mmCIF file of all heavy atoms in Angstrom:
data_model
loop_
_atom_site.group_PDB
_atom_site.id
_atom_site.type_symbol
_atom_site.label_atom_id
_atom_site.label_comp_id
_atom_site.label_asym_id
_atom_site.label_seq_id
_atom_site.Cartn_x
_atom_site.Cartn_y
_atom_site.Cartn_z
ATOM 1 N N ASN A 1 -18.911 -2.070 -4.208
ATOM 2 C CA ASN A 1 -19.513 -3.055 -5.108
ATOM 3 C C ASN A 1 -18.604 -4.262 -5.323
ATOM 4 O O ASN A 1 -18.474 -4.781 -6.441
ATOM 5 C CB ASN A 1 -19.858 -2.408 -6.455
ATOM 6 C CG ASN A 1 -20.872 -1.281 -6.323
ATOM 7 O OD1 ASN A 1 -21.737 -1.314 -5.453
ATOM 8 N ND2 ASN A 1 -20.754 -0.280 -7.171
ATOM 9 N N GLY A 2 -17.930 -4.681 -4.246
ATOM 10 C CA GLY A 2 -17.110 -5.869 -4.318
ATOM 11 C C GLY A 2 -15.761 -5.689 -4.978
ATOM 12 O O GLY A 2 -15.039 -6.662 -5.192
ATOM 13 N N GLN A 3 -15.395 -4.452 -5.306
ATOM 14 C CA GLN A 3 -14.107 -4.174 -5.925
ATOM 15 C C GLN A 3 -13.201 -3.450 -4.940
ATOM 16 O O GLN A 3 -13.662 -2.709 -4.065
ATOM 17 C CB GLN A 3 -14.276 -3.320 -7.180
ATOM 18 C CG GLN A 3 -14.991 -4.026 -8.316
ATOM 19 C CD GLN A 3 -15.125 -3.135 -9.531
ATOM 20 O OE1 GLN A 3 -15.980 -2.249 -9.596
ATOM 21 N NE2 GLN A 3 -14.275 -3.361 -10.505
ATOM 22 N N GLY A 4 -11.879 -3.638 -5.089
ATOM 23 C CA GLY A 4 -10.911 -3.013 -4.198
ATOM 24 C C GLY A 4 -10.178 -1.865 -4.861
ATOM 25 O O GLY A 4 -9.890 -1.902 -6.071
ATOM 26 N N PHE A 5 -9.867 -0.827 -4.072
ATOM 27 C CA PHE A 5 -9.174 0.359 -4.572
ATOM 28 C C PHE A 5 -8.069 0.765 -3.591
ATOM 29 O O PHE A 5 -8.185 0.521 -2.393
ATOM 30 C CB PHE A 5 -10.142 1.535 -4.736
ATOM 31 C CG PHE A 5 -11.342 1.232 -5.588
ATOM 32 C CD1 PHE A 5 -12.521 0.756 -5.012
ATOM 33 C CD2 PHE A 5 -11.299 1.401 -6.953
ATOM 34 C CE1 PHE A 5 -13.626 0.464 -5.787
ATOM 35 C CE2 PHE A 5 -12.396 1.120 -7.746
ATOM 36 C CZ PHE A 5 -13.561 0.649 -7.164
ATOM 37 N N VAL A 6 -7.044 1.403 -4.130
ATOM 38 C CA VAL A 6 -5.966 1.950 -3.307
ATOM 39 C C VAL A 6 -6.131 3.459 -3.284
ATOM 40 O O VAL A 6 -6.051 4.116 -4.329
ATOM 41 C CB VAL A 6 -4.580 1.568 -3.861
ATOM 42 C CG1 VAL A 6 -3.478 2.119 -2.958
ATOM 43 C CG2 VAL A 6 -4.459 0.057 -3.997
ATOM 44 N N VAL A 7 -6.367 4.016 -2.120
ATOM 45 C CA VAL A 7 -6.704 5.431 -2.009
ATOM 46 C C VAL A 7 -5.466 6.312 -1.902
ATOM 47 O O VAL A 7 -5.403 7.386 -2.499
ATOM 48 C CB VAL A 7 -7.616 5.665 -0.781
ATOM 49 C CG1 VAL A 7 -7.975 7.140 -0.657
ATOM 50 C CG2 VAL A 7 -8.857 4.811 -0.870
ATOM 51 N N ASP A 8 -4.467 5.879 -1.148
ATOM 52 C CA ASP A 8 -3.314 6.738 -0.845
ATOM 53 C C ASP A 8 -2.038 6.118 -1.395
ATOM 54 O O ASP A 8 -1.628 5.036 -0.969
ATOM 55 C CB ASP A 8 -3.199 6.929 0.665
ATOM 56 C CG ASP A 8 -2.165 7.986 1.048
ATOM 57 O OD1 ASP A 8 -1.473 8.498 0.146
ATOM 58 O OD2 ASP A 8 -2.048 8.288 2.246
ATOM 59 N N ILE A 9 -1.405 6.817 -2.349
ATOM 60 C CA ILE A 9 -0.162 6.323 -2.945
ATOM 61 C C ILE A 9 0.994 7.292 -2.668
ATOM 62 O O ILE A 9 2.034 7.232 -3.319
ATOM 63 C CB ILE A 9 -0.333 6.108 -4.460
ATOM 64 C CG1 ILE A 9 -0.929 7.358 -5.146
ATOM 65 C CG2 ILE A 9 -1.276 4.952 -4.718
ATOM 66 C CD1 ILE A 9 0.032 8.405 -5.514
ATOM 67 N N SER A 10 0.810 8.148 -1.677
ATOM 68 C CA SER A 10 1.759 9.238 -1.442
ATOM 69 C C SER A 10 3.152 8.755 -1.051
ATOM 70 O O SER A 10 4.129 9.489 -1.217
ATOM 71 C CB SER A 10 1.226 10.186 -0.356
ATOM 72 O OG SER A 10 0.987 9.487 0.851
ATOM 73 N N ASP A 11 3.266 7.522 -0.527
ATOM 74 C CA ASP A 11 4.575 7.016 -0.088
ATOM 75 C C ASP A 11 5.172 5.989 -1.051
ATOM 76 O O ASP A 11 6.166 5.345 -0.723
ATOM 77 C CB ASP A 11 4.451 6.380 1.306
ATOM 78 C CG ASP A 11 4.197 7.420 2.389
ATOM 79 O OD1 ASP A 11 4.717 8.537 2.259
ATOM 80 O OD2 ASP A 11 3.476 7.114 3.353
ATOM 81 N N PHE A 12 4.600 5.858 -2.241
ATOM 82 C CA PHE A 12 5.065 4.840 -3.176
ATOM 83 C C PHE A 12 6.444 5.150 -3.767
ATOM 84 O O PHE A 12 7.017 4.304 -4.447
ATOM 85 C CB PHE A 12 4.063 4.665 -4.322
ATOM 86 C CG PHE A 12 2.892 3.786 -3.984
ATOM 87 C CD1 PHE A 12 2.444 3.655 -2.668
ATOM 88 C CD2 PHE A 12 2.216 3.090 -4.974
ATOM 89 C CE1 PHE A 12 1.362 2.855 -2.355
ATOM 90 C CE2 PHE A 12 1.133 2.279 -4.668
ATOM 91 C CZ PHE A 12 0.700 2.168 -3.362
ATOM 92 N N TYR A 13 6.971 6.335 -3.515
ATOM 93 C CA TYR A 13 8.302 6.698 -4.018
ATOM 94 C C TYR A 13 9.405 6.257 -3.050
ATOM 95 O O TYR A 13 10.591 6.260 -3.407
ATOM 96 C CB TYR A 13 8.399 8.216 -4.223
ATOM 97 C CG TYR A 13 8.384 8.994 -2.927
ATOM 98 C CD1 TYR A 13 9.564 9.312 -2.259
ATOM 99 C CD2 TYR A 13 7.183 9.393 -2.348
ATOM 100 C CE1 TYR A 13 9.552 10.007 -1.057
ATOM 101 C CE2 TYR A 13 7.154 10.083 -1.149
ATOM 102 C CZ TYR A 13 8.343 10.381 -0.515
ATOM 103 O OH TYR A 13 8.323 11.052 0.691
ATOM 104 N N LYS A 14 9.027 5.875 -1.836
ATOM 105 C CA LYS A 14 10.023 5.560 -0.817
ATOM 106 C C LYS A 14 10.712 4.220 -1.100
ATOM 107 O O LYS A 14 10.169 3.364 -1.809
ATOM 108 C CB LYS A 14 9.372 5.526 0.568
ATOM 109 C CG LYS A 14 8.877 6.883 1.034
ATOM 110 C CD LYS A 14 8.302 6.816 2.433
ATOM 111 C CE LYS A 14 7.882 8.204 2.925
ATOM 112 N NZ LYS A 14 7.294 8.158 4.276
ATOM 113 N N GLU A 15 11.893 4.061 -0.529
ATOM 114 C CA GLU A 15 12.650 2.829 -0.706
ATOM 115 C C GLU A 15 12.465 1.917 0.510
ATOM 116 O O GLU A 15 12.016 2.346 1.566
ATOM 117 C CB GLU A 15 14.141 3.150 -0.893
ATOM 118 C CG GLU A 15 14.425 3.961 -2.144
ATOM 119 C CD GLU A 15 15.908 4.253 -2.307
ATOM 120 O OE1 GLU A 15 16.668 3.949 -1.372
ATOM 121 O OE2 GLU A 15 16.298 4.778 -3.364
ATOM 122 N N GLY A 16 12.831 0.652 0.330
ATOM 123 C CA GLY A 16 12.722 -0.304 1.420
ATOM 124 C C GLY A 16 11.467 -1.157 1.309
ATOM 125 O O GLY A 16 10.591 -0.911 0.473
ATOM 126 N N TYR A 17 11.393 -2.155 2.152
ATOM 127 C CA TYR A 17 10.255 -3.072 2.150
ATOM 128 C C TYR A 17 9.317 -2.739 3.299
ATOM 129 O O TYR A 17 9.741 -2.624 4.449
ATOM 130 C CB TYR A 17 10.746 -4.517 2.276
ATOM 131 C CG TYR A 17 9.636 -5.518 2.488
ATOM 132 C CD1 TYR A 17 8.677 -5.730 1.513
ATOM 133 C CD2 TYR A 17 9.555 -6.243 3.689
ATOM 134 C CE1 TYR A 17 7.645 -6.643 1.706
ATOM 135 C CE2 TYR A 17 8.533 -7.170 3.890
ATOM 136 C CZ TYR A 17 7.584 -7.360 2.897
ATOM 137 O OH TYR A 17 6.570 -8.263 3.089
ATOM 138 N N ASP A 18 8.053 -2.572 2.982
ATOM 139 C CA ASP A 18 7.038 -2.304 3.999
ATOM 140 C C ASP A 18 6.046 -3.466 3.995
ATOM 141 O O ASP A 18 5.336 -3.678 3.003
ATOM 142 C CB ASP A 18 6.316 -0.993 3.693
ATOM 143 C CG ASP A 18 5.369 -0.581 4.809
ATOM 144 O OD1 ASP A 18 5.044 -1.441 5.645
ATOM 145 O OD2 ASP A 18 4.961 0.589 4.848
ATOM 146 N N PRO A 19 5.965 -4.232 5.076
ATOM 147 C CA PRO A 19 5.133 -5.447 5.086
ATOM 148 C C PRO A 19 3.672 -5.232 5.474
ATOM 149 O O PRO A 19 2.938 -6.202 5.652
ATOM 150 C CB PRO A 19 5.836 -6.315 6.133
ATOM 151 C CG PRO A 19 6.337 -5.310 7.131
ATOM 152 C CD PRO A 19 6.732 -4.091 6.332
ATOM 153 N N LYS A 20 3.232 -3.980 5.624
ATOM 154 C CA LYS A 20 1.885 -3.753 6.168
ATOM 155 C C LYS A 20 0.801 -4.488 5.383
ATOM 156 O O LYS A 20 -0.084 -5.119 5.965
ATOM 157 C CB LYS A 20 1.578 -2.255 6.212
ATOM 158 C CG LYS A 20 2.354 -1.448 7.230
ATOM 159 C CD LYS A 20 1.784 -0.045 7.335
ATOM 160 C CE LYS A 20 2.637 0.849 8.225
ATOM 161 N NZ LYS A 20 3.899 1.230 7.556
ATOM 162 N N TRP A 21 0.832 -4.362 4.038
ATOM 163 C CA TRP A 21 -0.230 -4.996 3.271
ATOM 164 C C TRP A 21 -0.155 -6.512 3.378
ATOM 165 O O TRP A 21 -1.193 -7.182 3.501
ATOM 166 C CB TRP A 21 -0.192 -4.566 1.814
ATOM 167 C CG TRP A 21 -1.215 -5.336 1.007
ATOM 168 C CD1 TRP A 21 -1.003 -6.294 0.070
ATOM 169 C CD2 TRP A 21 -2.642 -5.228 1.150
ATOM 170 N NE1 TRP A 21 -2.188 -6.796 -0.395
ATOM 171 C CE2 TRP A 21 -3.222 -6.157 0.250
ATOM 172 C CE3 TRP A 21 -3.496 -4.445 1.938
ATOM 173 C CZ2 TRP A 21 -4.596 -6.310 0.117
ATOM 174 C CZ3 TRP A 21 -4.857 -4.613 1.808
ATOM 175 C CH2 TRP A 21 -5.397 -5.526 0.903
ATOM 176 N N GLU A 22 1.037 -7.077 3.338
ATOM 177 C CA GLU A 22 1.167 -8.528 3.456
ATOM 178 C C GLU A 22 0.656 -9.009 4.814
ATOM 179 O O GLU A 22 0.002 -10.053 4.909
ATOM 180 C CB GLU A 22 2.624 -8.957 3.257
ATOM 181 C CG GLU A 22 3.047 -9.014 1.803
ATOM 182 C CD GLU A 22 2.140 -9.916 0.959
ATOM 183 O OE1 GLU A 22 1.932 -11.079 1.361
ATOM 184 O OE2 GLU A 22 1.619 -9.452 -0.072
ATOM 185 N N HIS A 23 0.929 -8.243 5.854
ATOM 186 C CA HIS A 23 0.419 -8.604 7.177
ATOM 187 C C HIS A 23 -1.105 -8.521 7.217
ATOM 188 O O HIS A 23 -1.772 -9.386 7.807
ATOM 189 C CB HIS A 23 1.023 -7.688 8.238
ATOM 190 C CG HIS A 23 2.478 -7.945 8.477
ATOM 191 N ND1 HIS A 23 3.282 -7.075 9.188
ATOM 192 C CD2 HIS A 23 3.287 -8.960 8.084
ATOM 193 C CE1 HIS A 23 4.512 -7.558 9.228
ATOM 194 N NE2 HIS A 23 4.535 -8.699 8.564
ATOM 195 N N LEU A 24 -1.653 -7.473 6.589
ATOM 196 C CA LEU A 24 -3.107 -7.327 6.579
ATOM 197 C C LEU A 24 -3.752 -8.444 5.759
ATOM 198 O O LEU A 24 -4.788 -8.988 6.143
ATOM 199 C CB LEU A 24 -3.489 -5.950 6.014
ATOM 200 C CG LEU A 24 -4.956 -5.525 6.180
ATOM 201 C CD1 LEU A 24 -5.047 -4.001 6.279
ATOM 202 C CD2 LEU A 24 -5.818 -6.003 5.024
#
């Protein structure tokens, strides 16, 4: 319905920078 959700947060405890979302 035009809204966005984050389904998987299992790696949110990890350290470092992950650019996947910025690239997407």
Side-chain angles (χ1 to χ4, degrees):
N1 298 328
Q3 293 180 282
F5 306 91
V6 182
V7 180
D8 189 355
I9 51 84
S10 58
D11 290 326
F12 279 27
Y13 69 91
K14 293 183 177 179
E15 297 180 352
Y17 171 64
D18 187 343
K20 290 190 187 73
W21 174 250
E22 281 305 308
H23 289 167
L24 191 150

